Amino acid sequence: QVQLVETGGGLVQAGDSLRLSCVASGRTSSMYTMGWFRQAPGKEREFVVAISGSGGRVYYADSVKGRFTISRDNAKNTVYLQMNSLSPEDTAVYYCAARSSQDDRVWHGRDYSSWGQGTQVTVSS
């Protein structure tokens, strides 16, 4: 198991940028595929983006492709989510998640074993 803590959420205006961070502790984070999910009020949790342990493979939801960028610094056990051109539709609680497998099954929350507590992102129009 790995413990995850997200930071960086906040209130921004449409068109602004925000960077989320997820710090992992416990087992070596480079062993884990890391993902970001989000859940808006009244909606189901949805996949946003994921990155393999080495950082060589990245997977984006169509809704954020071209606007969001995921990266990781394994020396710091940290994963980042750079969010640009934010819109009110991006308002949600954002969760960091980890899974020990390095296969391509990154799209569903059920395949992740560890979760952070979430950080709120609110985008005003």
Side-chain angles (χ1 to χ4, degrees):
Q1 287 284 354
V2 62
Q3 291 75 47
L4 305 173
V5 177
E6 306 99 330
T7 57
L11 171 64
V12 297
Q13 294 185 335
D16 285 352
S17 298
L18 206 58
R19 190 177 80 158
L20 306 183
S21 299
C22 174
V23 178
S25 60
R27 299 186 66 185
T28 305
S29 65
S30 61
M31 298 171 59
Y32 290 82
T33 291
M34 303 296 294
W36 287 95
F37 289 76
R38 66 186 181 185
Q39 187 166 20
K43 295 187 177 181
E44 293 187 353
R45 181 179 60 194
E46 66 172 351
F47 171 82
V48 178
V49 61
I51 188 168
S52 63
S54 66
R57 286 172 290 152
V58 181
Y59 312 79
Y60 288 99
D62 288 342
S63 59
V64 305
K65 202 173 293 183
R67 299 188 301 122
F68 290 14
T69 303
I70 190 172
S71 61
R72 66 190 298 161
D73 184 340
N74 286 337
K76 296 182 178 180
N77 291 330
T78 302
V79 175
Y80 304 99
L81 179 61
Q82 178 66 42
M83 305 185 294
N84 299 328
S85 301
L86 285 162
S87 72
E89 289 70 35
D90 296 314
T91 294
V93 177
Y94 283 71
Y95 297 92
C96 178
R99 62 189 303 263
S100 57
S101 175
Q102 297 296 325
D103 62 31
D104 292 333
R105 293 183 298 170
V106 303
W107 311 100
H108 300 288
R110 62 175 179 263
D111 293 319
Y112 291 76
S113 56
S114 299
W115 292 82
Q117 82 289 350
T119 185
Q120 176 71 47
V121 172
T122 303
V123 185
S124 63
S125 58

